[in-house]
Amino acid sequence: MQIQVNTDHHVKGGDLLRQHVESLLNDSLNSFKDQVTRVEVFISDENSHKGGDDDLRCTMEARIRGLKPIAVTHHAENINVAIDGAADRITRSVRKTVEKRRDG
């Protein structure tokens, strides 16, 4: 499973942020590693310098072999909550999609 992390120019993090996201997704999607070929992560600060509640956004798009990509988004007031929320959502979506395909 390939994981690609992208940030806008308002989000700082570099290698530590990338490693955190990769570790989190490898753990949470481990049981689907044979079906998920790639996960793209997009982290952005929607209001940049203005601040505000829930202005950090994390979007994750998972590509499951033979199916259309699944995308989820989570907004939060800090980067870690946005990433964790999106990771929870993508894990639930992948699980539901894989189970539906298996049972169908």
Side-chain angles (χ1 to χ4, degrees), residues 10-56:
H10 299 291
V11 175
K12 295 181 176 94
D15 286 340
L16 286 177
L17 180 64
R18 181 186 50 75
Q19 290 170 2
H20 169 70
V21 172
E22 287 177 358
S23 175
L24 178 65
L25 289 174
N26 278 320
D27 289 346
S28 62
L29 294 173
N30 185 50
S31 54
F32 308 107
K33 66 184 176 194
D34 293 337
Q35 291 101 346
V36 177
T37 59
R38 178 182 174 116
V39 180
E40 288 192 53
V41 180
F42 304 92
I43 303 167
S44 60
D45 185 343
E46 294 183 324
N47 292 335
S48 65
H49 63 282
K50 296 178 190 173
D53 293 341
D54 295 346
D55 65 335
L56 290 163

Side-chain angles (χ1 to χ4, degrees), residues 8-9 14-15 22 28 31 34 36 38 43-44 50-51 55-57 59-60 64 67 80 83-84 90 93-95 100:
D8 72 9
H9 59 279
D15 286 340
E22 287 177 358
S28 62
S31 54
D34 293 337
V36 177
R38 178 182 174 116
I43 303 167
S44 60
K50 296 178 190 173
D55 65 335
L56 290 163
R57 179 183 68 199
T59 300
M60 294 186 181
I64 299 173
L67 298 175
N80 290 324
I83 292 167
D84 290 348
I90 200 70
S93 295
V94 167
R95 179 179 295 115
K100 187 184 291 185

